[in-house]
Amino acid sequence: MEIIIQASAQAATEIASRTIAHVLRRKPNAVLGLATGSTPVQLYKLLIDMNLDWRQVSTFNLDEYVGLPKAHPQSYHSFMWANLFKHINIDPQNVHIPDGNAPDMALHCLAYEQKIRQAGGIDLQVLGIGTDGHIGFNEPSSSLGSRTRIKTLTRQTRQDNARFFGNEDQVPSHVITMGIGTIMDARQHVLLAFGPHKARAVALTVEGPITAMVPASILQMHPDTRVYLDPEAAAQLQRSDYYRWVFEHKPLWQRV
Ligand SMILES: N[C@@H]1[C@@H](O)[C@H](O)[C@@H](COP(=O)(O)O)O[C@@H]1O
């Protein structure tokens, strides 16, 4: 894991956006895994402003609420079109977001996995993190080898996401999410976490033991995961001075 602690969320997001732009310039038909939530909104704004060529890019989103109409303002379909897709020249046929209203969920989950494989696998996966350490919607106790499937949200996550829905009862209880195994198959991860409410999950993810109770901790096993933090999200790390030193002394040829 590479831990990149910057003076602000904006500074960390700028560095992350350059890493993604580098992938898209090097591989015009790259396959990106995308995330929702408040954390990546600024990242998407920066990518839009870069005027990258998305014509051949394919995207796969991590997750979606079950039962929420696609057109609902809080569906991840709506989120992705509002915050990224409608502003770039992506081919809508190359956009993939799990369908929370699929008539046969099990079949849809299998087909989603198959589409990722057919596209050649995910080159770079953007990730946020839940306050309980979830990635995608893989809640604590998710199998570390899991694939795309239906999950039930924890009370914590429904409370965290209540701000988008007005109150907790309005937050759907079920979701469809890429599994942890699916996420681990991506060639590269860019994980963003900002603010004091993420500090505990970040510390457990980076410095704690690998455990299904902190699903993001499995990223310790991945050869190319970068974690972008502001000082508040990094506050509970024991080795933050070391991570800062490593980043500041990174050889020039590794700075993309
Ligand atoms: N399913 C999403 C995750 O993909 C996201 O990373 C996380 C954090 O969200 P936020 O960025 O709003 O803090 O929770 C949501 O529930």
Side-chain angles (χ1 to χ4, degrees):
M1 265 188 189
E2 187 180 359
I3 319 302
I4 299 160
I5 306 168
Q6 292 292 293
S8 65
Q10 176 67 20
T13 304
E14 279 172 19
I15 299 177
S17 71
R18 289 203 289 274
T19 296
I20 297 170
H22 178 76
V23 168
L24 296 190
R25 290 191 183 112
R26 197 189 53 203
K27 187 176 178 189
N29 62 346
V31 179
L32 291 187
L34 297 177
T36 52
S38 15
T39 308
V41 169
Q42 184 59 17
L43 175 73
Y44 296 149
K45 280 198 182 118
L46 293 175
L47 291 173
I48 293 163
D49 290 345
M50 284 177 176
N51 278 321
L52 298 160
D53 187 357
W54 295 77
R55 278 174 303 175
Q56 297 179 62
V57 174
S58 300
T59 64
F60 287 88
N61 263 80
L62 283 167
D63 46 18
E64 178 60 286
Y65 292 108
V66 167
L68 212 58
K70 266 186 197 173
H72 188 287
Q74 294 308 328
S75 80
Y76 287 167
H77 276 81
S78 300
F79 175 98
M80 287 310 302
W81 283 97
N83 288 289
L84 181 64
F85 297 144
K86 79 171 183 192
H87 307 284
I88 58 176
N89 66 345
I90 197 160
D91 179 346
Q93 295 204 18
N94 293 339
V95 167
H96 305 88
I97 304 174
D99 181 356
N101 294 291
D104 184 335
M105 279 293 176
L107 196 66
H108 178 65
C109 292
L110 278 175
Y112 201 70
E113 290 277 333
Q114 200 175 9
K115 278 186 199 151
I116 295 173
R117 276 196 303 276
Q118 279 166 355
I122 293 172
D123 291 301
L124 184 148
Q125 175 69 57
V126 177
L127 294 169
I129 187 167
T131 56
D132 60 4
H134 72 237
I135 44 175
F137 265 135
N138 293 283
E139 296 284 32
S141 80
S142 289
S143 157
L144 297 179
S146 51
R147 313 303 304 188
T148 302
R149 71 214 182 290
I150 301 278
K151 284 295 290 180
T152 307
L153 294 182
T154 58
R155 181 97 199 271
Q156 175 72 59
T157 298
R158 293 182 75 208
Q159 284 168 352
D160 288 348
N161 289 359
R163 68 191 193 279
F164 299 116
F165 287 85
N167 68 63
E168 189 189 323
D169 295 338
Q170 302 294 311
V171 182
S173 51
H174 290 81
V175 292
I176 173 169
T177 180
M178 275 188 206
I180 298 178
T182 322
I183 294 170
M184 286 296 283
D185 284 348
R187 295 180 188 98
Q188 185 177 352
H189 297 131
V190 163
L191 187 152
L192 307 171
F194 306 129
H197 58 304
K198 299 293 174 78
R200 184 167 174 273
V202 166
L204 290 171
T205 295
V206 174
E207 296 178 339
I210 296 173
T211 165
M213 296 315 287
V214 182
S217 63
I218 191 64
L219 299 173
Q220 293 175 26
M221 294 291 289
H222 195 278
D224 195 349
T225 292
R226 297 181 194 186
V227 179
Y228 298 80
L229 305 172
D230 64 2
E232 291 76 19
Q236 290 184 33
L237 290 170
Q238 304 292 313
R239 301 273 176 148
S240 54
D241 289 347
Y242 171 66
Y243 310 138
R244 284 192 168 95
W245 196 93
V246 169
F247 186 71
E248 279 154 23
H249 294 80
K250 205 168 163 178
L252 272 180
W253 65 87
Q254 285 184 353
R255 295 191 181 202
V256 276

